[in-house]
Amino acid sequence: MSTSSTPHDLADQPTDAISSLRFSPSNNTLAVASWDRTISLYNRTPETPDSPFTFSGTRITCRAPILDICWGADDNTLYSVGLDYDVRTHDLQNPETEQSVLSTHEAASNKIAYSAQHDLVLSTSWDSTLHVHKPATGMFMRVPLPTKPFALSLTATRVVIAMAERTLWVYDLLSLATLVDQAGRTANGTGPNHDVTEIVPWQQRESSLKFMTRAVACMPDGQGFATSSIEGRVGVEFFDPGEQAKTYAFKCHRQTQTTTISSEPGPDGEAEQEEREVDIVYPVNALAFHPVHGTFATGGGDVVDAQTKRRVKQYPKLGASVAAMEFSGDGKFLAIGVSPGFEDGKEDEEIQEGQAKIVVRELGENEVKGRPAK
């Protein structure tokens, strides 16, 4: 294995849990969304190798905690969703004043993604809907989903939506783009003003994992996707029905601990005690594919070759749960959002200063390159 890169903790962090982070199309800006209702922008600074990204001075304040963000066609356009139900666009040339609403869900909107190939913005919500927007025309359409969505990811031609009850639906993006023109409406209500209920997904699947999905990420070559669950497992699936035999899943993010087990008291009133090793299982909250090598990282520290099923890299622990992660488009950086999770029963405790942080790794040329099959 190659030598591990050095992690850099960015300065001027948000004050609450990190919900999402995304590199801009040019890879020169990192946007970070937080539960403190802000989007923070960090600029690439090659002249300071000890801190490859530094705070730009721009921190956009929104009406409610932000759950996800994505970039648009360029470094001046950012989209966000959150607890205020709105799908918002932000003009970063005027970040403090230029916010507009593309559409409004009937519950919190949790995921958003942008398709550069079709100029579409897609958002999901806990109201069990998918909204498909065309920013160029201001039109959008509402697509009902069978159950609550948890995760969203795109290829150049498809969108994968992971939902409750282990449901996975895949839509064709060209079909969605065509239907927005036919049946869409604007955020202020002009247009046909009716929902599109007859859209048939390109594929309907059941997840290969047995428990609730936390994240989904599509392969850079568009051949398939990876999903992760609350039960410390990751599954890899392929779109082509002929490739289904290649589907697999593996365990990860588990820690073996020794614990003392007490038996029921015997006739003498004494309970026997026995030490056993047990697995502590953590949810996998984030997945990210490397855009060049096609390997993928799981939310904690493992980097896996999806084709050969081999672990390429294992990074050291970061001190708290990984809530979000992404490789830059040029493959040179891995950004990780670290926040205390709810896995230890302390969800009512406030996050203390320094517990939520952004870590950026500047990767070596072959650091996360795939490995041949054994």
Side-chain angles (χ1 to χ4, degrees):
M1 291 188 185
S2 59
T3 303
S4 179
S5 56
T6 302
H8 302 280
D9 291 2
L10 301 191
D12 298 295
Q13 309 272 1
T15 59
D16 208 336
I18 308 299
S19 57
S20 179
L21 43 75
R22 305 290 179 191
F23 287 99
S24 67
S26 72
N27 303 303
N28 288 325
T29 304
L30 176 66
V32 179
S34 170
W35 278 75
D36 65 6
R37 301 187 297 117
T38 66
I39 301 173
S40 303
L41 302 180
Y42 299 83
N43 291 337
R44 174 78 176 102
T45 49
E47 68 278 6
T48 56
D50 289 340
S51 183
F53 285 82
T54 57
F55 181 53
S56 68
T58 298
R59 185 162 279 140
I60 304 167
T61 301
C62 298
R63 298 193 329 176
I66 304 155
L67 300 184
D68 200 12
I69 54 176
C70 71
W71 290 91
D74 54 43
D75 284 22
N76 291 321
T77 306
L78 193 66
Y79 302 101
S80 69
V81 291
L83 295 186
D84 65 355
Y85 303 9
D86 288 340
V87 181
R88 291 180 174 269
T89 179
H90 304 269
D91 179 358
L92 299 188
Q93 292 180 315
N94 301 284
E96 291 301 325
T97 59
E98 293 301 319
Q99 296 186 29
S100 57
V101 176
L102 293 179
S103 71
T104 301
H105 287 272
E106 295 179 0
S109 183
N110 60 337
K111 297 295 176 183
I112 191 165
Y114 175 73
S115 168
Q117 292 79 11
H118 300 279
D119 190 30
L120 291 179
V121 175
L122 299 99
S123 62
T124 59
S125 166
W126 294 332
D127 66 6
S128 298
T129 64
L130 166 71
H131 283 193
V132 185
H133 313 80
K134 262 199 174 173
T137 63
M139 304 295 283
F140 84 98
M141 68 179 180
R142 178 181 180 273
V143 181
L145 299 172
T147 186
K148 185 181 291 187
F150 294 141
L152 171 75
S153 185
L154 307 182
T155 71
T157 58
R158 316 288 182 197
V159 52
V160 180
I161 304 172
M163 294 171 272
E165 301 173 7
R166 300 172 58 218
T167 302
L168 286 168
W169 277 15
V170 185
Y171 286 100
D172 179 80
L173 287 173
L174 179 58
S175 298
L176 294 178
T178 302
L179 285 167
V180 173
D181 292 332
Q182 298 174 354
R185 62 182 187 268
T186 63
N188 62 12
T190 60
N193 198 32
H194 64 269
D195 295 340
V196 179
T197 58
E198 301 301 323
I199 298 179
V200 178
W202 179 67
Q203 286 184 356
Q204 298 183 39
R205 294 168 168 244
E206 185 177 82
S207 172
S208 61
L209 304 178
K210 297 179 179 179
F211 293 88
M212 187 179 82
T213 303
R214 288 304 294 264
V216 61
C218 290
M219 299 176 185
D221 62 7
Q223 298 302 304
F225 57 93
T227 58
S228 65
S229 76
I230 60 171
E231 191 245 346
R233 287 179 183 266
V234 171
V236 177
E237 303 188 33
F238 297 85
F239 293 126
D240 186 345
E243 300 287 309
Q244 287 303 301
K246 295 170 61 177
T247 294
Y248 64 94
F250 59 91
K251 298 178 182 179
C252 56
H253 302 292
R254 294 158 186 259
Q255 183 177 352
T256 301
Q257 293 184 356
T258 301
T259 186
T260 301
I261 306 295
S262 297
S263 64
E264 292 291 330
D268 57 359
E270 299 253 344
E272 294 186 1
Q273 293 187 335
E274 177 186 357
E275 287 192 348
R276 296 181 186 175
E277 288 191 345
V278 297
D279 276 347
I280 307 299
V281 180
Y282 299 94
V284 183
N285 301 315
L287 295 168
F289 272 92
H290 192 276
V292 178
H293 300 309
T295 54
F296 68 93
T298 65
D302 293 339
V303 179
V304 179
D305 188 321
Q307 299 295 332
T308 64
K309 309 179 186 179
R310 296 189 66 184
R311 186 163 69 185
V312 176
K313 195 80 177 175
Q314 186 173 33
Y315 291 113
K317 292 182 179 180
L318 292 167
S321 301
V322 172
M325 64 193 314
E326 185 175 65
F327 287 103
S328 60
D330 56 11
K332 295 181 179 179
F333 298 96
L334 172 62
I336 307 167
V338 180
S339 301
F342 305 133
E343 298 87 3
D344 54 6
K346 299 179 181 179
E347 62 269 19
D348 293 331
E349 295 185 8
E350 291 188 6
I351 293 178
Q352 303 300 313
E353 184 178 353
Q355 287 185 313
K357 61 182 180 180
I358 308 131
V359 178
V360 175
R361 286 186 175 274
E362 188 167 5
L363 304 174
E365 184 177 355
N366 296 315
E367 185 170 335
V368 294
K369 189 175 182 179
R371 303 180 68 188
K374 292 182 179 179

